Amino acid sequence: MAANLDDLTAFLAVAKARGFREAGRALGVSPTTLSETVRRLEAQLGVRLLHRTTRSVAPTEAGNRLIERLAPALSEVEAALASLNDLRDTPTGTLRLNVPVGVARLILPSLLPGFTAMYPDIQVEVAAEDTIVDVLAAGADAGIRYDEKLEQDMIAVPIGPRVQRFAMAAAPAYLARAGNPEHPTDLLQHKCLRGRFRNGALFSPWELERDDEVIRIEPQGPLTVSISGAMDLAIDMAVAGMGIIGLFEDWLRPHLDANRLSPVLSAWWSDFPGPFLYYSNRRLVPPPLKAFLGFIKSARRDQ
């Protein structure tokens, strides 16, 4: 039951994009051609791989089972082919990263311009999401996560600042109207702007720390946004005076420096370790990833 490698790659692209149109754009082929390819593969394998409706495409149980085994295998094939770059003077290919939205917003902008300038033949693809994923199954070469979310059997390399802070802020107009909290428990009497992960869990509790005292608060408020795509909306609403926002200090810093937001309970802002880039120790390291590892290590030495 040997299947054509191109057909398997096409199926994986459609499953990942959840649609023939998006996958076709990524592969440079028509949706009709992709649909015929997947149907041919299903006929050859004797099982339905995709549920198709007029609005969506989703893998069947058989499709999911194939994806679980196929994605890492194809990644390994790509890595093996990419390893031929070692015979070239300049690495080429694509570096695929899966990162949290905060990392895409705060850390990668300081790294990618220098990296792409140093390696102009490497293309970078970044998928930003707030859930924990199997980076190989997601088609990525490496992921970036914070230490408590690192996957097992992975090699971890520090990237970005080694210490970050959780900060709280509000518009001066809001604080003039509602008062400035003097203790973390005062937050329970305020309107707070919250974030929610894609799995439905709230970015909660807010953890505040001073000296050896740690206080965790379950904030309440009029606005909850998706962390994966709407945190800038929450910041805009905080600037507009809707309430108090809790977020990475670096994310709020431009608004604090411009006095659009004022710090809240700054003596209680808590530190947490910075993120790590992680990748599998069970596969060949593709040259684009190898180049990026060398770049971030050099950047850390220069700090």
Side-chain angles (χ1 to χ4, degrees):
M1 193 187 295
N4 183 285
L5 185 59
D6 290 339
D7 291 354
L8 293 170
T9 301
F11 158 69
L12 194 62
V14 173
K16 182 179 179 181
R18 296 299 176 110
F20 290 96
R21 190 177 302 276
E22 289 295 325
R25 278 198 284 263
L27 296 177
V29 300
S30 71
T32 300
T33 298
L34 274 183
S35 179
E36 293 172 352
T37 298
V38 173
R39 289 186 187 280
R40 181 174 64 245
L41 180 62
E42 289 176 326
Q44 184 177 5
L45 298 178
V47 293
R48 179 176 289 276
L49 299 174
L50 296 173
H51 292 299
R52 303 166 178 83
T53 70
T54 56
R55 295 185 177 181
S56 65
V57 173
T60 63
E61 180 181 356
N64 279 320
R65 187 174 299 181
L66 181 58
I67 291 168
E68 289 175 2
R69 301 295 297 271
L70 181 62
L74 287 182
S75 294
E76 193 68 23
V77 170
E78 289 181 1
L81 294 174
S83 68
L84 297 178
N85 275 333
D86 290 337
L87 302 177
R88 301 188 179 101
D89 294 332
T90 304
T92 64
T94 302
L95 171 66
R96 298 178 178 87
L97 301 175
N98 187 287
V99 308
V101 174
V103 167
R105 177 71 169 76
L106 303 175
I107 293 175
L108 291 184
S110 66
L111 295 173
L112 293 185
F115 175 71
T116 56
M118 183 175 292
Y119 298 101
D121 294 326
I122 294 178
Q123 296 180 327
V124 182
E125 293 184 6
V126 178
E129 52 189 324
D130 57 53
T131 54
I132 304 173
V133 300
D134 180 333
V135 292
L136 296 183
D141 299 302
I144 299 177
R145 291 294 185 273
Y146 288 85
D147 56 356
E148 70 273 16
K149 297 181 179 178
L150 294 182
E151 297 181 4
Q152 296 180 349
D153 301 323
M154 290 285 176
I155 298 173
V157 177
I159 185 171
R162 299 325 306 142
V163 177
Q164 295 181 267
R165 285 205 297 178
F166 176 77
M168 290 157 293
Y174 172 84
L175 296 175
R177 182 174 70 250
N180 206 325
E182 297 182 359
H183 188 270
T185 55
D186 294 341
L187 291 171
L188 298 175
Q189 309 304 318
H190 281 265
K191 296 177 179 179
C192 297
L193 312 181
R194 303 174 296 172
R196 186 184 298 277
F197 295 104
R198 193 167 62 178
N199 64 5
L202 286 169
F203 182 58
S204 180
W206 289 2
E207 185 172 291
L208 297 84
E209 180 178 358
R210 186 173 67 178
D211 299 326
D212 294 328
E213 185 178 6
V214 177
I215 296 178
R216 295 175 177 84
I217 297 294
E218 297 284 352
Q220 302 296 320
L223 178 67
T224 301
V225 302
S226 165
I227 290 176
S228 63
M231 286 310 303
D232 284 332
L233 171 63
I235 294 174
D236 289 343
M237 294 303 96
V239 170
M242 184 178 286
I244 298 174
I245 187 168
L247 198 57
F248 293 171
E249 178 187 3
D250 293 341
W251 211 329
L252 299 177
R253 178 51 57 192
H255 302 279
L256 292 167
D257 290 344
N259 297 318
R260 291 186 292 269
L261 293 175
S262 297
V264 171
L265 294 170
S266 58
W268 289 86
W269 291 1
S270 57
D271 296 342
F272 58 94
F276 291 81
L277 180 142
Y278 68 100
Y279 59 99
S280 174
N281 62 5
R282 296 169 295 176
R283 58 171 293 186
L284 295 169
V285 178
L289 176 57
K290 185 182 295 184
F292 190 59
L293 290 168
F295 180 83
I296 62 176
K297 290 177 181 177
S298 177
R300 287 195 54 75
R301 286 195 298 268
D302 294 339
Q303 289 178 350

